[in-house]
Amino acid sequence: MGGCTVAPDIRLRTLAEVIDHLGASGQTGIIDGTEVRVRRPAVGRKDREKFISGKNKQNAVKSMVVTDAAGRLLFCSPAEPASCADITHARKLGLVELLADGPAVEILADAGYQGLGAQTGGRVVAPPHRKLKKNPPEWYEEMHERQRKATPHAASGSSTASATSRTGDLSPATTAAAST
């Protein structure tokens, strides 16, 4: 009896149900892959190399998770050997088809999902590939602008990161402001 209960009478068990729920409620989803270290598979196992993560160079399994904008877990995929890239795992789970044929849903993703935006008509928003920084497609510009306006900390203009110089030292003005 797996799944995520989002309301007393609503339990989401599949990725399709999660996408439908996000579309019906008008919520933005967040997608990411996570790795969990495992013991090294037995010597005789033929697919032993598939468990070695390209990112961490360790034996691991990978799952894809989907959360809502508040960070509440809505879906966790079955574990796959960690040699599988995030975008490949999403494609195997049918995310591209679900977003292309399903309700209008915006999914925020990290760089591991670059390319899904073009395949889903801009429904997956990931950082642009280096070559897109100079000439981003129109759908990406629109999504990025909408996301930028919706981010509360972007409007404030101040952050701890902007208070530090390139060397990581606080500027004299910042030090004085922090001590008051």
Side-chain angles (χ1 to χ4, degrees), residues 3-150:
C4 173
T5 303
V6 293
D9 57 338
I10 302 174
R11 186 167 189 85
L12 308 175
R13 289 187 170 84
T14 65
L15 184 57
E17 290 174 355
V18 169
I19 299 299
D20 289 341
H21 169 72
L22 290 172
S25 63
Q27 294 182 15
T28 297
I30 301 171
I31 186 173
D32 200 7
T34 183
E35 290 183 355
V36 178
R37 287 184 63 186
V38 295
R39 290 182 59 188
R40 188 172 184 182
V43 175
R45 188 169 178 157
K46 63 181 178 181
D47 61 348
R48 183 178 181 181
E49 295 81 31
K50 290 184 180 182
F51 287 88
I52 298 175
S53 165
K55 179 180 177 182
N56 296 324
K57 306 292 187 236
Q58 298 173 347
N59 293 290
V61 292
K62 180 179 283 190
S63 289
M64 184 183 79
V65 295
V66 179
T67 67
D68 60 11
R72 182 173 48 174
L73 183 66
L74 301 177
F75 177 78
C76 183
S77 72
E80 292 273 328
S83 64
C84 181
D86 288 347
I87 192 168
T88 304
H89 197 173
R91 287 179 182 138
K92 284 181 180 179
L93 292 169
L95 183 65
V96 174
E97 293 81 14
L98 290 171
L99 292 174
D101 300 335
V105 176
E106 182 178 67
I107 305 286
L108 303 179
D110 63 9
Y113 297 93
Q114 288 175 339
L116 280 185
Q119 296 171 4
T120 59
R123 292 185 179 180
V124 174
V125 180
H129 194 272
R130 279 179 265 163
K131 68 180 181 182
L132 291 181
K133 287 184 180 178
K134 293 181 181 176
N135 299 314
E138 187 176 320
W139 62 263
Y140 182 79
E141 286 286 330
E142 292 168 3
M143 292 288 189
H144 178 70
E145 187 64 21
R146 193 169 358 126
Q147 180 184 0
R148 188 186 65 77
K149 288 179 180 177

